[in-house]
Amino acid sequence: MALTCIDGRIADVVHQELRREWGVDFVDVVTLPGPEAAVPELPEQHAVWDALRISVQRHGSSRAAVVAHTDCAANAVDLETRRDQVRESVFQVRDLLHGTDVTGWLVDTETGTMEEVA
């Protein structure tokens, strides 16, 4: 499953890269603006957490990715801060989804490439 930004510019690359990386046919997707900045601020009871749990518990997702991107309208920070936010979000998602492999990714909107950062 991918927890990613609502920005449509990154949707295709996120799906393609995670399917390739994980060797799966599909990836559940949960979106919200600037997830790397939003995750630390989410209350314990939130629809995003519910969606992640459903993906694991009902759809059998064993992997999760927090995916951010450059040039995010919802989170205008420098690149290193964004990477740090992704790493922190990965830790929080891991705490929620015990036993799930959680990684962090950054999509470069200019090149369409995706790099693992956590």
Side-chain angles (χ1 to χ4, degrees):
M1 128 213 18
L3 173 57
T4 187
C5 189
I6 63 170
D7 194 323
R9 296 177 296 169
I10 68 169
D12 288 343
V13 70
V14 169
H15 290 156
Q16 291 168 2
E17 289 301 312
L18 291 178
R19 283 195 310 255
R20 183 188 58 74
E21 180 74 24
W22 294 341
V24 297
D25 293 329
F26 64 90
V27 175
D28 286 356
V29 179
V30 178
T31 64
L32 74 158
E36 71 281 7
V39 163
E41 305 300 322
L42 293 177
E44 218 173 288
Q45 298 299 316
H46 193 278
V48 167
W49 300 134
D50 293 342
L52 296 177
R53 284 187 199 100
I54 289 168
S55 182
V56 170
Q57 295 169 358
R58 303 295 295 252
H59 294 176
S61 296
S62 61
R63 295 180 176 158
V66 177
V67 184
H69 67 92
T70 58
D71 191 34
C72 182
N75 186 28
V77 296
D78 63 81
L79 195 55
E80 208 44 53
T81 300
R82 190 176 315 284
R83 285 187 173 111
D84 289 343
Q85 290 173 327
V86 169
R87 291 180 190 108
E88 176 60 32
S89 294
V90 165
F91 288 125
Q92 288 188 267
V93 173
R94 276 186 190 141
D95 283 345
L96 176 77
L97 304 175
H98 304 287
T100 303
D101 179 23
V102 184
T103 54
W105 298 81
L106 181 65
V107 176
D108 184 321
T109 55
E110 287 185 27
T111 65
T113 57
M114 194 163 126
E115 73 170 297
E116 189 170 358
V117 297

